[in-house]
Amino acid sequence: MTDVLILAAGLGTRMKSQRAKVLHELGGSPLVAHVLRAAFELAPGAVFTVVGHQANEVEAAVRNEAEREEQTGTGALQVPAFPELKFVHQTEQRGTGHAVMAAREELATRGGLVVILPGDAPLIRAETLRSLVERHEKDGNDGTMLTVEMDDPTGYGRIIKDNEGKFLRIVEQKDGSPKELAVKEVGVSIYCFNTAALIEGLDHLNTDNSQGEYYLTDVPKIMQSQGRRVGLLLHSDAQEVAGINTRIELADLERKLRERKLRELMLAGVTIVDPATTYIHRQVEIGQDTIIHPQVIIEGATRIGSGCTVQSWTRMKNVEIGDNVTIKNSSVIEDSVIRDGASIGPFARLRAGAEIAEKAAIGNFVEVKKSKVGKGTKASHLTYLGNATLGERVNIGAGTVTCNYDGVRKSETIIEDDVKIGSDTMLVAPVRVGRGSKTAAGSVVTKDVPPDSLVAGVPAVVKKKLK
Ligand code: UD1
Ligand code: CA
């Protein structure tokens, strides 16, 4: 049985942030979520996460991602049972070895193997972890480390070998002699250990180094001195296993991840007019022959059908879009549903559960909040629709407002099929406009309108003094 242990308790001083490093986002999800996904693909028995800095937030991020993975079932997970999620608290951060020591009790109850991953290496692929475990088992090792050669190894632990090329120890940046620091092969905090041997090794760790920390990197050396077998697996892709320590590295990997996503979409038949200015998060799905114009941002769990057009300067998050939908320039859309053939924008704002039915049109400077807009209905200019339900073939004149908030409560507006709302109508909710009715321009509608009627006028009179 293989378990996974993720090291995620550190603050990440070099990020210069109030926020724990593993919570910084890459491609729309926290760093630790990326690592977790790779871990799940190993089909482990349990995943332990060592938490410390902002423990609750890190734990929530891990649970969130696990829940998402469980629900969406990306197929990555070929195991019948979902791995057990366990959290280990490292209250004081005294080094990577200390982080694993915090999990000692938990690990002692497990047998088999444990794969250790840093929470800050988000591009790690499951295949790489699998080859690490394979090498570990094939060579009958007690510990196996993933290593990589870096042109600039600054900051990483150097792999020191003897003249015969036999592994001796790992030397950290701050402890190394110039000769040791010239070594280009580095450890990347990714290990496979026999759990029992790891625990024995941990018992011999000390803080005898320039940082006064318990270094996990000392464990292989200790194991060897106990007569155990330690192996290295040299990996070829340095970027995949690189840890993020600064915001510059975060931006570098963001670019890499973004390029990966855009290529995937283009290969699947989506036109991305200008990949250099298009930002599409990892979870987003887009159908064939949809065209994404320059300077578009699409985030969250957004799904876009085929044959759609998304024009420039549009930002969307968690939106479900059917086929042949047009989103015109500069629209901002969140948590909404837009069905086949609808047209949105330019300059439209949809949010909080807006639902736009087939062939409906939402035009310039129209805000739709928590409202349903029926088939073929149009609201083309300067309108607010909040807590409203609109039937089919309704026309909303320019400047219409559903007055849904009296300062205390939100109330509903219902507009039935084939209604024509005249320009600048105020619909004072709760109110219902019956099927086939019309309101004249400038009406203030405070009472329900029966079907097939024309209403006009302003009933605004002083009812009582407020003070
Ligand atoms: C570590 C390694 C270094 C390796 C590099 C690869 C050690 C001593 N050094 O250095 O050899 O080349 O990773 O990326 O192991 N963490 C805790 N608790 C702590 C300290 C760290 O949970 O007390 C976690 C961090 O949250 C992070 C991971 O361990 O996710 C690595 O810590 P970091 O401080 O980034 O280690 P490096 O200095 O990069
Ligand atoms: Ca690091």
Side-chain angles (χ1 to χ4, degrees), residues 360-387:
I362 301 297
N364 315 253
F365 305 104
V366 173
E367 176 176 356
V368 184
K369 186 218 87 175
K370 213 178 191 173
S371 293
K372 288 189 174 149
V373 174
K375 276 189 206 166
T377 285
K378 292 189 168 68
S380 301
H381 332 266
L382 300 158
T383 284
Y384 174 60
L385 300 171
N387 305 81

Side-chain angles (χ1 to χ4, degrees), residues 62 114 168 207 211 263 274 292 315 328 376 380-381 394 434:
V62 168
V114 60
L168 291 177
T207 57
Q211 303 188 80
R263 293 176 77 89
D274 182 15
I292 311 290
R315 182 166 196 155
K328 296 181 188 160
S380 301
H381 332 266
V394 169

Side-chain angles (χ1 to χ4, degrees), residues 58-80:
V58 174
E59 180 169 339
V62 168
R63 288 196 189 281
N64 255 342
E65 184 62 24
E67 211 170 282
R68 225 185 48 72
E69 193 73 17
E70 202 170 13
Q71 278 167 7
T72 54
T74 54
L77 208 63
Q78 303 292 342
V79 281

Side-chain angles (χ1 to χ4, degrees), residues 185-204:
E185 185 177 0
V186 300
V188 290
S189 284
I190 298 175
Y191 311 80
C192 179
F193 286 117
N194 289 353
T195 306
L198 168 65
I199 292 173
E200 266 199 54
L202 289 176
D203 293 345
H204 292 84

Side-chain angles (χ1 to χ4, degrees), residues 7-11 14 21-22 50 90 92-96 98-99 118-120 155-157 170 172 186-189 191 213 215-217 241 243 245:
L7 307 176
L11 172 63
R14 289 160 284 184
K21 176 165 64 178
V22 297
V50 184
Q90 185 197 17
E92 233 189 312
Q93 283 73 50
R94 302 180 60 196
T96 47
H98 187 253
D120 65 352
Y156 287 85
I170 304 178
E172 291 302 300
V186 300
V188 290
S189 284
Y191 311 80
E213 289 187 351
Y215 288 169
L216 183 57
T217 42
V241 293
N245 293 317

Side-chain angles (χ1 to χ4, degrees), residues 176-413:
S177 67
K179 193 172 159 230
E180 288 169 327
L181 295 182
V183 172
K184 301 230 185 262
E185 185 177 0
V186 300
V188 290
S189 284
I190 298 175
Y191 311 80
C192 179
F193 286 117
N194 289 353
T195 306
L198 168 65
I199 292 173
E200 266 199 54
L202 289 176
D203 293 345
H204 292 84
L205 278 184
N206 60 47
T207 57
D208 193 7
N209 54 59
S210 67
Q211 303 188 80
E213 289 187 351
Y214 292 98
Y215 288 169
L216 183 57
T217 42
D218 286 343
V219 167
K221 172 183 75 184
I222 291 169
M223 279 187 167
Q224 254 185 194
S225 73
Q226 293 171 327
R228 296 188 184 277
R229 223 182 132 82
V230 170
L232 308 179
L233 177 61
L234 180 63
H235 188 57
S236 56
D237 184 351
Q239 211 169 18
E240 178 196 331
V241 293
I244 287 178
N245 293 317
T246 67
R247 300 203 198 217
I248 295 171
E249 289 159 356
L250 186 66
D252 284 344
L253 290 201
E254 181 78 46
R255 200 176 314 115
K256 176 157 179 171
L257 203 69
R258 189 161 70 84
E259 280 166 13
R260 231 193 234 177
K261 176 71 184 180
L262 294 175
R263 293 176 77 89
E264 233 174 67
L265 289 170
M266 290 187 278
L267 287 171
V270 177
T271 296
I272 310 279
V273 176
D274 182 15
T277 64
T278 306
Y279 297 78
I280 300 181
H281 278 173
R282 187 183 51 77
Q283 290 162 251
V284 174
E285 291 169 31
I286 305 181
Q288 265 188 21
D289 289 322
T290 284
I291 302 175
I292 311 290
H293 287 269
Q295 310 212 9
V296 164
I297 302 173
I298 308 176
E299 303 169 305
T302 295
R303 279 217 314 264
I304 302 179
S306 56
C308 295
T309 300
V310 180
Q311 295 183 356
S312 297
W313 311 296
T314 285
R315 182 166 196 155
M316 294 194 270
K317 185 172 189 180
N318 301 329
V319 185
E320 196 188 314
I321 298 180
D323 299 331
N324 305 312
V325 167
T326 304
I327 312 283
K328 296 181 188 160
N329 293 323
S330 299
S331 296
V332 179
I333 308 173
E334 284 155 36
D335 306 310
S336 298
V337 178
I338 302 165
R339 302 207 193 281
D340 297 356
S343 160
I344 310 293
F347 300 102
R349 169 97 168 102
L350 271 51
R351 64 188 177 96
E355 248 187 86
I356 314 299
E358 289 81 354
K359 299 211 161 115
I362 301 297
N364 315 253
F365 305 104
V366 173
E367 176 176 356
V368 184
K369 186 218 87 175
K370 213 178 191 173
S371 293
K372 288 189 174 149
V373 174
K375 276 189 206 166
T377 285
K378 292 189 168 68
S380 301
H381 332 266
L382 300 158
T383 284
Y384 174 60
L385 300 171
N387 305 81
T389 304
L390 280 61
E392 301 183 4
R393 299 169 303 278
V394 169
N395 191 72
I396 304 286
T400 295
V401 173
T402 54
C403 310
N404 62 332
Y405 188 49
D406 60 7
V408 184
R409 259 185 316 269
K410 299 271 166 68
S411 302
E412 303 283 324
T413 299

